[in-house]
Amino acid sequence: SSGINAEYGQPNVIVKKPSIRLFATSSISKFRPDILAKMINNANLWPGSKAIVVECKDDLLTSAVSQRTGESGTVVQVFKQRLPHIMHCKWLDFTQKHLDSLKYYPVKFLGKLKPGNQEENEDGTENPDEESGEKTQELGKRKRDKKPSLKFEDYVQAYELLSKTKFDSLVVSAFYDPFPVLELLWDSLRPSGNLVIHTEYLSVVLQCANFVHNQGCSELSVVDQWFREIQVLPGRTHPDMRMQTGGGFILSCTKLCEGMYEHGSDVPIVEMQEPVKVNRDTVE
């Protein structure tokens, strides 16, 4: 056994090419490999498809979706922080054409997609009530520069893309409640488009499931995956002692709309009409 321990205990330096699988299995990832694989599979992505990705952790999900859609596809990342994450996209060595197919849009301006929603500040600046006035700088404290605020003018191209284009997939994974985001982006998903939502809270999943069920969907499912890592060594194969108990819930469904549609078109050929009610008293 000492020889086996010495063989497997020696440090090996292996240089691997950056990939989504390598990022998902590393310590920097906030996604479990099985959760990420399940979401990408349920999103039904293909080269040239259009997808919306809502995430606030990092751009690992955006990179995985963009790798599936390729240079001919379109991916819009909806982010909550001040600047979008582009770390993994640079590590994957995407071409410039591939990087140009990635668009970014803040969660703050999603309300503009609905005609009835009007924000308080049309210019995209933050609420001035948050900073009532300048405070006297205390001694011994360094004056910090004011963080740049988001401006709607910088994201007009992504706004026009979200408002005028029907997307094939909508993938959501965020720490905050995804239900308001789902309500605003549901109309941007084309008929027969795929929706995937990942969250850690069952109550949030049930709220989203009731919404898509009332709007019209098929193949609705909610899954809680169990992941188990196993150490494989000669004579010492056993499950790992420390494992994650749960990776969150995954909701997936396919959007349905009333009417008859031609393949690849969003305009119905024949709209479904309500059945005509006949009064039996007038019928002989």
Side-chain angles (χ1 to χ4, degrees):
S1 62
S2 60
I4 297 178
N5 293 334
E7 179 182 356
Y8 288 94
Q10 294 180 357
N12 297 324
V13 179
I14 301 176
V15 179
K16 296 183 179 180
K17 183 180 179 180
S19 63
I20 297 297
R21 179 181 178 86
L22 181 62
F23 294 151
T25 55
S26 63
S27 59
I28 64 175
S29 174
K30 298 178 183 177
F31 273 108
R32 265 184 12 195
D34 61 314
I35 295 293
L36 181 61
K38 182 72 174 178
M39 295 180 65
I40 297 299
N41 181 65
N42 292 356
N44 192 22
L45 301 164
W46 66 89
S49 62
K50 299 181 288 292
I52 304 175
V53 181
V54 183
E55 63 175 338
C56 64
K57 302 175 182 179
D58 49 30
D59 64 326
L60 180 61
L61 183 59
T62 304
S63 302
V65 171
S66 181
Q67 193 177 51
R68 284 290 187 94
T69 58
E71 297 180 355
S72 58
T74 303
V75 178
V76 179
Q77 182 197 77
V78 180
F79 62 95
K80 189 176 183 180
Q81 62 278 1
R82 293 184 177 273
L83 294 175
H85 292 295
I86 55 175
M87 177 178 60
H88 292 94
C89 294
K90 291 185 176 180
W91 289 351
L92 289 172
D93 295 333
F94 287 160
T95 61
Q96 187 60 40
K97 184 179 179 181
H98 200 159
L99 293 176
D100 294 339
S101 64
L102 292 169
K103 308 298 180 183
Y104 302 95
Y105 193 76
V107 175
K108 181 178 180 180
F109 302 137
L110 280 181
K112 294 181 178 292
L113 297 176
K114 294 290 185 178
N117 294 340
Q118 296 292 335
E119 297 187 5
E120 296 181 0
N121 303 327
E122 296 295 337
D123 57 350
T125 58
E126 296 183 354
N127 193 349
D129 295 338
E130 295 179 358
E131 298 180 0
S132 58
E134 297 182 358
K135 297 182 179 180
T136 305
Q137 182 180 358
E138 299 181 7
L139 295 177
K141 290 188 177 182
R142 183 180 60 182
K143 183 179 180 181
R144 296 184 178 180
D145 297 334
K146 184 179 179 181
K147 296 182 180 180
S149 58
L150 296 174
K151 295 182 179 180
F152 178 72
E153 290 77 10
D154 299 336
Y155 303 96
V156 173
Q157 184 179 2
Y159 167 75
E160 294 178 354
L161 188 64
L162 287 173
S163 58
K164 298 180 181 179
T165 308
K166 295 295 183 179
F167 289 81
D168 303 307
S169 303
L170 173 59
V171 186
V172 183
S173 178
F175 289 133
Y176 52 86
D177 186 3
F179 180 70
V181 177
L182 174 61
E183 286 184 312
L184 295 173
L185 294 177
W186 178 256
D187 294 336
S188 299
L189 189 65
R190 69 169 178 85
S192 299
N194 295 274
L195 169 69
V196 181
I197 298 178
H198 171 250
T199 181
E200 300 177 356
Y201 306 101
L202 181 59
S203 59
V204 176
V205 172
L206 295 178
Q207 187 180 14
C208 296
N210 292 331
F211 173 79
V212 297
H213 178 72
N214 296 331
Q215 294 292 326
C217 69
S218 65
E219 301 178 358
L220 177 62
S221 65
V222 178
V223 179
D224 179 19
Q225 292 200 152
W226 186 61
F227 183 67
R228 192 174 194 179
E229 297 180 354
I230 298 178
Q231 171 184 297
V232 180
L233 289 174
R236 292 180 294 169
T237 299
H238 61 80
D240 286 348
M241 298 303 176
R242 296 181 179 179
M243 294 177 292
Q244 298 180 5
T245 56
F249 300 92
I250 299 178
L251 180 148
S252 59
C253 68
T254 303
K255 181 179 179 180
L256 296 181
C257 290
E258 295 183 355
M260 299 177 60
Y261 292 82
E262 186 179 357
H263 179 70
S265 176
D266 298 328
V267 181
I269 302 175
V270 179
E271 295 185 356
M272 301 296 292
Q273 299 180 357
E274 296 183 358
V276 180
K277 296 182 180 180
V278 180
N279 190 357
R280 296 182 179 180
D281 298 336
T282 59
V283 179
E284 296 181 358

mmCIF file of all heavy atoms in Angstrom, residues 192-231:
data_model
loop_
_atom_site.group_PDB
_atom_site.id
_atom_site.type_symbol
_atom_site.label_atom_id
_atom_site.label_comp_id
_atom_site.label_asym_id
_atom_site.label_seq_id
_atom_site.Cartn_x
_atom_site.Cartn_y
_atom_site.Cartn_z
ATOM 1 N N SER A 192 -43.212 28.203 -28.208
ATOM 2 C CA SER A 192 -42.378 26.990 -28.205
ATOM 3 C C SER A 192 -40.966 27.262 -27.703
ATOM 4 O O SER A 192 -40.074 26.416 -27.865
ATOM 5 C CB SER A 192 -42.308 26.345 -29.602
ATOM 6 O OG SER A 192 -43.590 25.959 -30.039
ATOM 7 N N GLY A 193 -40.750 28.434 -27.105
ATOM 8 C CA GLY A 193 -39.464 28.717 -26.483
ATOM 9 C C GLY A 193 -39.339 28.023 -25.145
ATOM 10 O O GLY A 193 -40.327 27.665 -24.500
ATOM 11 N N ASN A 194 -38.115 27.851 -24.694
ATOM 12 C CA ASN A 194 -37.833 27.098 -23.472
ATOM 13 C C ASN A 194 -37.447 28.036 -22.336
ATOM 14 O O ASN A 194 -36.643 28.961 -22.527
ATOM 15 C CB ASN A 194 -36.701 26.098 -23.713
ATOM 16 C CG ASN A 194 -37.077 25.033 -24.712
ATOM 17 O OD1 ASN A 194 -37.662 24.008 -24.372
ATOM 18 N ND2 ASN A 194 -36.744 25.266 -25.972
ATOM 19 N N LEU A 195 -38.020 27.782 -21.178
ATOM 20 C CA LEU A 195 -37.746 28.558 -19.967
ATOM 21 C C LEU A 195 -37.086 27.662 -18.930
ATOM 22 O O LEU A 195 -37.552 26.542 -18.672
ATOM 23 C CB LEU A 195 -39.043 29.147 -19.394
ATOM 24 C CG LEU A 195 -38.960 29.758 -17.991
ATOM 25 C CD1 LEU A 195 -38.124 31.041 -18.005
ATOM 26 C CD2 LEU A 195 -40.347 30.026 -17.428
ATOM 27 N N VAL A 196 -36.006 28.171 -18.326
ATOM 28 C CA VAL A 196 -35.297 27.442 -17.264
ATOM 29 C C VAL A 196 -35.000 28.429 -16.144
ATOM 30 O O VAL A 196 -34.430 29.495 -16.391
ATOM 31 C CB VAL A 196 -33.981 26.811 -17.768
ATOM 32 C CG1 VAL A 196 -33.297 26.056 -16.635
ATOM 33 C CG2 VAL A 196 -34.234 25.887 -18.939
ATOM 34 N N ILE A 197 -35.417 28.082 -14.926
ATOM 35 C CA ILE A 197 -35.199 28.937 -13.753
ATOM 36 C C ILE A 197 -34.528 28.100 -12.678
ATOM 37 O O ILE A 197 -34.998 27.003 -12.352
ATOM 38 C CB ILE A 197 -36.518 29.528 -13.226
ATOM 39 C CG1 ILE A 197 -37.167 30.419 -14.280
ATOM 40 C CG2 ILE A 197 -36.276 30.333 -11.952
ATOM 41 C CD1 ILE A 197 -38.495 31.006 -13.848
ATOM 42 N N HIS A 198 -33.454 28.623 -12.124
ATOM 43 C CA HIS A 198 -32.744 27.960 -11.029
ATOM 44 C C HIS A 198 -32.761 28.874 -9.812
ATOM 45 O O HIS A 198 -32.370 30.043 -9.896
ATOM 46 C CB HIS A 198 -31.302 27.662 -11.420
ATOM 47 C CG HIS A 198 -30.456 27.186 -10.276
ATOM 48 N ND1 HIS A 198 -29.458 27.950 -9.720
ATOM 49 C CD2 HIS A 198 -30.483 26.031 -9.562
ATOM 50 C CE1 HIS A 198 -28.895 27.289 -8.730
ATOM 51 N NE2 HIS A 198 -29.500 26.125 -8.609
ATOM 52 N N THR A 199 -33.254 28.354 -8.702
ATOM 53 C CA THR A 199 -33.292 29.106 -7.463
ATOM 54 C C THR A 199 -33.166 28.143 -6.293
ATOM 55 O O THR A 199 -33.373 26.934 -6.440
ATOM 56 C CB THR A 199 -34.592 29.918 -7.346
ATOM 57 O OG1 THR A 199 -34.600 30.671 -6.128
ATOM 58 C CG2 THR A 199 -35.794 29.007 -7.363
ATOM 59 N N GLU A 200 -32.839 28.697 -5.145
ATOM 60 C CA GLU A 200 -32.636 27.874 -3.961
ATOM 61 C C GLU A 200 -33.883 27.741 -3.100
ATOM 62 O O GLU A 200 -33.855 26.983 -2.134
ATOM 63 C CB GLU A 200 -31.506 28.465 -3.115
ATOM 64 C CG GLU A 200 -30.170 28.542 -3.846
ATOM 65 C CD GLU A 200 -29.097 29.188 -3.006
ATOM 66 O OE1 GLU A 200 -29.431 29.644 -1.889
ATOM 67 O OE2 GLU A 200 -27.933 29.252 -3.445
ATOM 68 N N TYR A 201 -34.955 28.438 -3.434
ATOM 69 C CA TYR A 201 -36.138 28.488 -2.576
ATOM 70 C C TYR A 201 -37.326 27.872 -3.297
ATOM 71 O O TYR A 201 -37.651 28.241 -4.432
ATOM 72 C CB TYR A 201 -36.445 29.929 -2.174
ATOM 73 C CG TYR A 201 -35.254 30.630 -1.552
ATOM 74 C CD1 TYR A 201 -34.484 31.528 -2.296
ATOM 75 C CD2 TYR A 201 -34.870 30.373 -0.240
ATOM 76 C CE1 TYR A 201 -33.390 32.163 -1.730
ATOM 77 C CE2 TYR A 201 -33.774 30.999 0.326
ATOM 78 C CZ TYR A 201 -33.043 31.896 -0.423
ATOM 79 O OH TYR A 201 -31.939 32.511 0.127
ATOM 80 N N LEU A 202 -37.989 26.939 -2.622
ATOM 81 C CA LEU A 202 -39.122 26.231 -3.215
ATOM 82 C C LEU A 202 -40.325 27.155 -3.390
ATOM 83 O O LEU A 202 -41.068 27.035 -4.368
ATOM 84 C CB LEU A 202 -39.491 25.033 -2.343
ATOM 85 C CG LEU A 202 -40.647 24.161 -2.833
ATOM 86 C CD1 LEU A 202 -40.347 23.581 -4.212
ATOM 87 C CD2 LEU A 202 -40.929 23.039 -1.841
ATOM 88 N N SER A 203 -40.552 28.077 -2.445
ATOM 89 C CA SER A 203 -41.701 28.977 -2.546
ATOM 90 C C SER A 203 -41.621 29.851 -3.794
ATOM 91 O O SER A 203 -42.632 30.121 -4.442
ATOM 92 C CB SER A 203 -41.779 29.858 -1.296
ATOM 93 O OG SER A 203 -40.591 30.622 -1.148
ATOM 94 N N VAL A 204 -40.403 30.277 -4.149
ATOM 95 C CA VAL A 204 -40.222 31.089 -5.351
ATOM 96 C C VAL A 204 -40.505 30.263 -6.599
ATOM 97 O O VAL A 204 -41.117 30.735 -7.565
ATOM 98 C CB VAL A 204 -38.800 31.668 -5.385
ATOM 99 C CG1 VAL A 204 -38.556 32.426 -6.674
ATOM 100 C CG2 VAL A 204 -38.577 32.578 -4.194
ATOM 101 N N VAL A 205 -40.069 28.991 -6.590
ATOM 102 C CA VAL A 205 -40.307 28.116 -7.730
ATOM 103 C C VAL A 205 -41.798 27.887 -7.935
ATOM 104 O O VAL A 205 -42.302 27.906 -9.072
ATOM 105 C CB VAL A 205 -39.562 26.780 -7.537
ATOM 106 C CG1 VAL A 205 -39.949 25.782 -8.602
ATOM 107 C CG2 VAL A 205 -38.069 27.001 -7.569
ATOM 108 N N LEU A 206 -42.535 27.688 -6.855
ATOM 109 C CA LEU A 206 -43.973 27.467 -6.966
ATOM 110 C C LEU A 206 -44.690 28.700 -7.495
ATOM 111 O O LEU A 206 -45.642 28.583 -8.280
ATOM 112 C CB LEU A 206 -44.538 27.070 -5.603
ATOM 113 C CG LEU A 206 -44.048 25.728 -5.040
ATOM 114 C CD1 LEU A 206 -44.640 25.478 -3.668
ATOM 115 C CD2 LEU A 206 -44.369 24.597 -5.992
ATOM 116 N N GLN A 207 -44.253 29.885 -7.111
ATOM 117 C CA GLN A 207 -44.852 31.111 -7.626
ATOM 118 C C GLN A 207 -44.612 31.248 -9.129
ATOM 119 O O GLN A 207 -45.530 31.603 -9.882
ATOM 120 C CB GLN A 207 -44.281 32.325 -6.889
ATOM 121 C CG GLN A 207 -44.952 33.639 -7.239
ATOM 122 C CD GLN A 207 -44.342 34.810 -6.472
ATOM 123 O OE1 GLN A 207 -43.279 34.695 -5.884
ATOM 124 N NE2 GLN A 207 -45.023 35.944 -6.501
ATOM 125 N N CYS A 208 -43.408 30.945 -9.570
ATOM 126 C CA CYS A 208 -43.107 30.996 -11.000
ATOM 127 C C CYS A 208 -43.860 29.900 -11.761
ATOM 128 O O CYS A 208 -44.317 30.124 -12.889
ATOM 129 C CB CYS A 208 -41.609 30.860 -11.231
ATOM 130 S SG CYS A 208 -40.603 32.213 -10.557
ATOM 131 N N ALA A 209 -44.002 28.739 -11.149
ATOM 132 C CA ALA A 209 -44.719 27.641 -11.809
ATOM 133 C C ALA A 209 -46.193 27.978 -11.993
ATOM 134 O O ALA A 209 -46.781 27.675 -13.047
ATOM 135 C CB ALA A 209 -44.560 26.351 -10.996
ATOM 136 N N ASN A 210 -46.809 28.602 -11.009
ATOM 137 C CA ASN A 210 -48.213 29.015 -11.150
ATOM 138 C C ASN A 210 -48.372 30.069 -12.236
ATOM 139 O O ASN A 210 -49.364 30.069 -12.985
ATOM 140 C CB ASN A 210 -48.732 29.549 -9.817
ATOM 141 C CG ASN A 210 -48.841 28.472 -8.762
ATOM 142 O OD1 ASN A 210 -49.054 27.297 -9.065
ATOM 143 N ND2 ASN A 210 -48.676 28.855 -7.501
ATOM 144 N N PHE A 211 -47.401 30.959 -12.351
ATOM 145 C CA PHE A 211 -47.482 32.019 -13.367
ATOM 146 C C PHE A 211 -47.416 31.432 -14.778
ATOM 147 O O PHE A 211 -48.254 31.742 -15.637
ATOM 148 C CB PHE A 211 -46.354 33.029 -13.147
ATOM 149 C CG PHE A 211 -46.244 34.054 -14.237
ATOM 150 C CD1 PHE A 211 -47.105 35.135 -14.287
ATOM 151 C CD2 PHE A 211 -45.262 33.930 -15.217
ATOM 152 C CE1 PHE A 211 -47.005 36.073 -15.294
ATOM 153 C CE2 PHE A 211 -45.147 34.868 -16.220
ATOM 154 C CZ PHE A 211 -46.023 35.944 -16.265
ATOM 155 N N VAL A 212 -46.409 30.583 -15.037
ATOM 156 C CA VAL A 212 -46.275 30.031 -16.390
ATOM 157 C C VAL A 212 -47.417 29.066 -16.711
ATOM 158 O O VAL A 212 -47.809 28.927 -17.879
ATOM 159 C CB VAL A 212 -44.902 29.338 -16.550
ATOM 160 C CG1 VAL A 212 -43.783 30.349 -16.393
ATOM 161 C CG2 VAL A 212 -44.734 28.192 -15.554
ATOM 162 N N HIS A 213 -47.979 28.407 -15.686
ATOM 163 C CA HIS A 213 -49.118 27.515 -15.924
ATOM 164 C C HIS A 213 -50.347 28.312 -16.351
ATOM 165 O O HIS A 213 -51.081 27.882 -17.252
ATOM 166 C CB HIS A 213 -49.416 26.710 -14.659
ATOM 167 C CG HIS A 213 -50.608 25.803 -14.797
ATOM 168 N ND1 HIS A 213 -50.585 24.656 -15.566
ATOM 169 C CD2 HIS A 213 -51.859 25.883 -14.272
ATOM 170 C CE1 HIS A 213 -51.760 24.065 -15.509
ATOM 171 N NE2 HIS A 213 -52.552 24.791 -14.723
ATOM 172 N N ASN A 214 -50.559 29.463 -15.744
ATOM 173 C CA ASN A 214 -51.696 30.305 -16.129
ATOM 174 C C ASN A 214 -51.482 30.972 -17.484
ATOM 175 O O ASN A 214 -52.449 31.199 -18.226
ATOM 176 C CB ASN A 214 -51.935 31.373 -15.062
ATOM 177 C CG ASN A 214 -52.336 30.784 -13.723
ATOM 178 O OD1 ASN A 214 -52.947 29.710 -13.662
ATOM 179 N ND2 ASN A 214 -51.986 31.450 -12.639
ATOM 180 N N GLN A 215 -50.233 31.283 -17.810
ATOM 181 C CA GLN A 215 -49.955 31.919 -19.093
ATOM 182 C C GLN A 215 -50.037 30.926 -20.248
ATOM 183 O O GLN A 215 -50.365 31.308 -21.373
ATOM 184 C CB GLN A 215 -48.562 32.562 -19.071
ATOM 185 C CG GLN A 215 -48.427 33.720 -18.103
ATOM 186 C CD GLN A 215 -49.247 34.917 -18.534
ATOM 187 O OE1 GLN A 215 -49.420 35.193 -19.723
ATOM 188 N NE2 GLN A 215 -49.764 35.653 -17.556
ATOM 189 N N GLY A 216 -49.732 29.684 -19.991
ATOM 190 C CA GLY A 216 -49.761 28.658 -21.020
ATOM 191 C C GLY A 216 -48.400 28.042 -21.252
ATOM 192 O O GLY A 216 -47.503 28.714 -21.781
ATOM 193 N N CYS A 217 -48.237 26.789 -20.860
ATOM 194 C CA CYS A 217 -46.964 26.109 -21.049
ATOM 195 C C CYS A 217 -47.206 24.610 -21.088
ATOM 196 O O CYS A 217 -48.293 24.121 -20.761
ATOM 197 C CB CYS A 217 -45.977 26.470 -19.937
ATOM 198 S SG CYS A 217 -46.430 25.807 -18.316
ATOM 199 N N SER A 218 -46.190 23.898 -21.511
ATOM 200 C CA SER A 218 -46.225 22.438 -21.543
ATOM 201 C C SER A 218 -44.916 21.899 -20.979
ATOM 202 O O SER A 218 -43.915 22.623 -20.898
ATOM 203 C CB SER A 218 -46.434 21.924 -22.980
ATOM 204 O OG SER A 218 -45.322 22.254 -23.791
ATOM 205 N N GLU A 219 -44.929 20.631 -20.604
ATOM 206 C CA GLU A 219 -43.748 19.952 -20.060
ATOM 207 C C GLU A 219 -43.195 20.701 -18.843
ATOM 208 O O GLU A 219 -41.976 20.833 -18.686
ATOM 209 C CB GLU A 219 -42.665 19.795 -21.129
ATOM 210 C CG GLU A 219 -43.121 19.012 -22.342
ATOM 211 C CD GLU A 219 -42.049 18.899 -23.406
ATOM 212 O OE1 GLU A 219 -40.950 19.477 -23.196
ATOM 213 O OE2 GLU A 219 -42.293 18.255 -24.435
ATOM 214 N N LEU A 220 -44.082 21.181 -18.003
ATOM 215 C CA LEU A 220 -43.669 21.891 -16.795
ATOM 216 C C LEU A 220 -43.135 20.894 -15.768
ATOM 217 O O LEU A 220 -43.793 19.905 -15.441
ATOM 218 C CB LEU A 220 -44.855 22.669 -16.212
ATOM 219 C CG LEU A 220 -44.616 23.413 -14.894
ATOM 220 C CD1 LEU A 220 -43.542 24.472 -15.063
ATOM 221 C CD2 LEU A 220 -45.916 24.032 -14.396
ATOM 222 N N SER A 221 -41.945 21.166 -15.257
ATOM 223 C CA SER A 221 -41.325 20.268 -14.283
ATOM 224 C C SER A 221 -40.475 21.069 -13.317
ATOM 225 O O SER A 221 -39.897 22.100 -13.685
ATOM 226 C CB SER A 221 -40.457 19.208 -14.986
ATOM 227 O OG SER A 221 -39.354 19.813 -15.639
ATOM 228 N N VAL A 222 -40.412 20.589 -12.082
ATOM 229 C CA VAL A 222 -39.569 21.161 -11.039
ATOM 230 C C VAL A 222 -38.712 20.027 -10.479
ATOM 231 O O VAL A 222 -39.241 19.021 -10.006
ATOM 232 C CB VAL A 222 -40.398 21.819 -9.923
ATOM 233 C CG1 VAL A 222 -39.475 22.350 -8.825
ATOM 234 C CG2 VAL A 222 -41.260 22.949 -10.483
ATOM 235 N N VAL A 223 -37.404 20.193 -10.531
ATOM 236 C CA VAL A 223 -36.471 19.126 -10.178
ATOM 237 C C VAL A 223 -35.519 19.624 -9.107
ATOM 238 O O VAL A 223 -35.039 20.762 -9.163
ATOM 239 C CB VAL A 223 -35.672 18.656 -11.422
ATOM 240 C CG1 VAL A 223 -34.693 17.557 -11.045
ATOM 241 C CG2 VAL A 223 -36.613 18.182 -12.514
ATOM 242 N N ASP A 224 -35.270 18.770 -8.117
ATOM 243 C CA ASP A 224 -34.243 19.006 -7.106
ATOM 244 C C ASP A 224 -33.228 17.882 -7.216
ATOM 245 O O ASP A 224 -33.494 16.756 -6.802
ATOM 246 C CB ASP A 224 -34.856 19.067 -5.707
ATOM 247 C CG ASP A 224 -33.795 19.292 -4.630
ATOM 248 O OD1 ASP A 224 -32.692 19.741 -4.981
ATOM 249 O OD2 ASP A 224 -34.071 19.021 -3.448
ATOM 250 N N GLN A 225 -32.086 18.186 -7.796
ATOM 251 C CA GLN A 225 -31.100 17.146 -8.083
ATOM 252 C C GLN A 225 -30.230 16.857 -6.866
ATOM 253 O O GLN A 225 -29.915 17.746 -6.088
ATOM 254 C CB GLN A 225 -30.217 17.560 -9.270
ATOM 255 C CG GLN A 225 -30.948 17.604 -10.581
ATOM 256 C CD GLN A 225 -30.015 17.530 -11.761
ATOM 257 O OE1 GLN A 225 -30.398 17.060 -12.816
ATOM 258 N NE2 GLN A 225 -28.791 17.983 -11.614
ATOM 259 N N TRP A 226 -29.841 15.597 -6.769
ATOM 260 C CA TRP A 226 -28.943 15.149 -5.710
ATOM 261 C C TRP A 226 -27.639 14.711 -6.346
ATOM 262 O O TRP A 226 -27.621 13.842 -7.220
ATOM 263 C CB TRP A 226 -29.573 13.994 -4.923
ATOM 264 C CG TRP A 226 -28.754 13.582 -3.740
ATOM 265 C CD1 TRP A 226 -28.419 14.356 -2.674
ATOM 266 C CD2 TRP A 226 -28.179 12.300 -3.505
ATOM 267 N NE1 TRP A 226 -27.674 13.638 -1.765
ATOM 268 C CE2 TRP A 226 -27.501 12.362 -2.267
ATOM 269 C CE3 TRP A 226 -28.162 11.106 -4.207
ATOM 270 C CZ2 TRP A 226 -26.828 11.281 -1.729
ATOM 271 C CZ3 TRP A 226 -27.492 10.022 -3.670
ATOM 272 C CH2 TRP A 226 -26.833 10.121 -2.436
ATOM 273 N N PHE A 227 -26.558 15.310 -5.911
ATOM 274 C CA PHE A 227 -25.242 15.097 -6.521
ATOM 275 C C PHE A 227 -24.327 14.425 -5.502
ATOM 276 O O PHE A 227 -24.262 14.844 -4.348
ATOM 277 C CB PHE A 227 -24.664 16.438 -6.968
ATOM 278 C CG PHE A 227 -23.344 16.333 -7.682
ATOM 279 C CD1 PHE A 227 -23.261 15.740 -8.922
ATOM 280 C CD2 PHE A 227 -22.191 16.838 -7.107
ATOM 281 C CE1 PHE A 227 -22.057 15.642 -9.590
ATOM 282 C CE2 PHE A 227 -20.980 16.742 -7.752
ATOM 283 C CZ PHE A 227 -20.908 16.148 -9.003
ATOM 284 N N ARG A 228 -23.621 13.379 -5.949
ATOM 285 C CA ARG A 228 -22.752 12.629 -5.043
ATOM 286 C C ARG A 228 -21.406 12.391 -5.720
ATOM 287 O O ARG A 228 -21.341 11.736 -6.766
ATOM 288 C CB ARG A 228 -23.389 11.296 -4.663
ATOM 289 C CG ARG A 228 -22.687 10.590 -3.513
ATOM 290 C CD ARG A 228 -23.465 9.354 -3.089
ATOM 291 N NE ARG A 228 -23.016 8.840 -1.806
ATOM 292 C CZ ARG A 228 -23.528 7.779 -1.200
ATOM 293 N NH1 ARG A 228 -24.514 7.125 -1.773
ATOM 294 N NH2 ARG A 228 -23.076 7.385 -0.032
ATOM 295 N N GLU A 229 -20.359 12.904 -5.130
ATOM 296 C CA GLU A 229 -19.022 12.700 -5.653
ATOM 297 C C GLU A 229 -18.422 11.433 -5.044
ATOM 298 O O GLU A 229 -18.589 11.167 -3.860
ATOM 299 C CB GLU A 229 -18.135 13.903 -5.332
ATOM 300 C CG GLU A 229 -18.604 15.197 -5.988
ATOM 301 C CD GLU A 229 -17.702 16.352 -5.655
ATOM 302 O OE1 GLU A 229 -16.781 16.165 -4.825
ATOM 303 O OE2 GLU A 229 -17.903 17.449 -6.216
ATOM 304 N N ILE A 230 -17.723 10.685 -5.871
ATOM 305 C CA ILE A 230 -17.151 9.404 -5.452
ATOM 306 C C ILE A 230 -15.659 9.404 -5.748
ATOM 307 O O ILE A 230 -15.236 9.761 -6.852
ATOM 308 C CB ILE A 230 -17.842 8.230 -6.170
ATOM 309 C CG1 ILE A 230 -19.332 8.201 -5.809
ATOM 310 C CG2 ILE A 230 -17.192 6.907 -5.810
ATOM 311 C CD1 ILE A 230 -20.103 7.117 -6.498
ATOM 312 N N GLN A 231 -14.894 9.027 -4.763
ATOM 313 C CA GLN A 231 -13.449 8.879 -4.949
ATOM 314 C C GLN A 231 -13.175 7.499 -5.548
ATOM 315 O O GLN A 231 -13.620 6.478 -5.026
ATOM 316 C CB GLN A 231 -12.733 9.021 -3.613
ATOM 317 C CG GLN A 231 -11.251 8.675 -3.664
ATOM 318 C CD GLN A 231 -10.599 8.724 -2.309
ATOM 319 O OE1 GLN A 231 -10.537 9.768 -1.686
ATOM 320 N NE2 GLN A 231 -10.135 7.574 -1.830
#
